[in-house]
């Protein structure tokens, strides 16, 4: 599966890229990392680079199914509809909160 950064750093471009990746209509999205490979494992929606709090930052592949399950679990907990978590999409929680 192809891995590409969003068209720009504009949050709207990030959300568009994430939506396309989750729906299977676009490439996997590379967020927050440099020197990432051009490919990701099949089923990957996004690759997020961690902060490296326990050492060197690592890139983590998050599957489409994991993001969908996260959205359903959040909706079950706080209610359906749209919600806002004011953190960047380059945080794992920010990536999950951009799925509406």
């Amino acid at each position: 599966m192809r891995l590409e950064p969003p068209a720009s750093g504009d949050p709207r471009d990030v959300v568009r890229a994430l939506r396309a990746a989750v729906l299977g209509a676009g490439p996997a999205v590379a967020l927050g990392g440099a020197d990432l490979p051009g490919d990701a494992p099949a089923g990957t929606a996004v690759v997020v680079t961690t902060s490296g709090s326990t050492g060197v930052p690592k890139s983590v592949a998050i599957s489409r199914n994991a993001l969908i399950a996260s959205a359903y679990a959040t909706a079950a907990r706080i209610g359906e509809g749209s919600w806002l978590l004011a953190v960047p999409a380059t945080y794992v929680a920010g990536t999950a909160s951009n799925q509406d």
Side-chain angles (χ1 to χ4, degrees):
M1 164 166 275
R2 218 169 61 246
L3 177 64
E4 296 179 1
S8 76
D10 183 312
R12 292 170 292 202
D13 285 336
V14 175
V15 169
R16 281 186 205 106
L18 286 171
R19 183 171 289 130
V22 168
L23 295 175
V29 181
L31 295 175
D35 301 325
L36 291 174
D39 292 315
T44 299
V46 64
V47 175
V48 178
T49 301
T50 68
S51 63
S53 59
T54 61
V56 177
K58 298 165 188 71
S59 294
V60 178
I62 303 173
S63 71
R64 294 174 53 211
N65 289 340
L67 288 178
I68 292 167
S70 175
Y72 278 121
T74 301
R77 177 73 174 129
I78 66 173
E80 293 187 21
S82 295
W83 60 86
L84 172 67
L85 179 60
V87 297
T90 53
Y91 288 39
V92 172
T95 300
S97 71
N98 280 300
Q99 304 310 307
D100 59 8

